[in-house]
Amino acid sequence: MGKEDLPTLSILAEEARRSPVRVHLDLDSEEREQLADENGLASVELFRLRATALGMKGRQLRVEGELKAEVTYICGVSLRSFKASLDVPFEQIFGQPKRQEEIIDLDPLDDNDIEPLVGGAASISDLAYQLFTLTLDPYPRHPDLAPPGPAHSD
């Protein structure tokens, strides 16, 4: 079972242009188990995305919402498990990819890049899985452990 087996959810930009589209994505226990395995977690107890998509000018789609997740990490130091909550509000613009000569990047640190529409649709599930993965702590440390001390050099 790979990531391609996780549920997919897409919104057609044309559909959201007529009226806002509300989307929900909740993973069942088997899908959460798969997501936990793929991300090195002991478990994922909750994965819930709620969002609204609204069509914009220029064949663009704005999606805003929140991803909520409950996860169980394994501490990288003590190997003890501990729970954590993820609450991730987001806003993402989807649109037609621009030709390379049209791209002028005025702010290289701008993190709200336009994601491409594929076949006129925005992949909300891909956005949700990316947000989830990027929000995870790459070095989970049990909250009962003292913070690491300064590095010593000889």
Side-chain angles (χ1 to χ4, degrees), residues 124-150:
I124 306 305
S125 52
D126 283 352
L127 174 63
Y129 303 139
Q130 288 173 16
L131 286 169
F132 177 79
T133 301
L134 292 172
T135 304
L136 292 173
D137 185 347
Y139 305 105
R141 187 176 184 90
H142 196 283
D144 291 345
L145 293 177

Side-chain angles (χ1 to χ4, degrees), residues 10-105:
S10 296
I11 298 174
L12 288 171
E14 258 329 288
E15 180 183 344
R17 193 175 319 277
R18 291 188 286 269
S19 65
V21 176
R22 294 185 192 344
V23 294
H24 306 273
L25 178 62
D26 295 285
L27 299 187
D28 66 26
S29 60
E30 187 176 302
E31 294 159 346
R32 292 191 314 267
E33 183 180 339
Q34 178 186 345
L35 200 58
D37 289 346
E38 290 177 359
N39 287 282
L41 298 168
S43 64
V44 175
E45 293 81 28
L46 172 73
F47 184 97
R48 176 179 299 141
L49 177 98
R50 300 290 183 259
T52 302
L54 182 63
M56 301 169 54
K57 290 183 179 180
R59 295 178 48 129
Q60 291 187 337
L61 182 68
R62 183 181 64 168
V63 179
E64 59 183 38
E66 185 172 37
L67 171 67
K68 290 185 178 277
E70 299 288 331
V71 301
T72 300
Y73 287 110
I74 301 294
C75 174
V77 177
S78 69
L79 300 180
R80 291 171 38 205
S81 63
F82 66 98
K83 295 188 180 300
S85 296
L86 308 176
D87 293 313
V88 187
F90 65 89
E91 179 179 334
Q92 182 63 58
I93 306 294
F94 290 85
Q96 295 301 324
K98 294 184 177 184
R99 295 189 311 255
Q100 190 62 37
E101 59 271 10
E102 294 177 350
I103 297 174
I104 300 173
D105 193 3

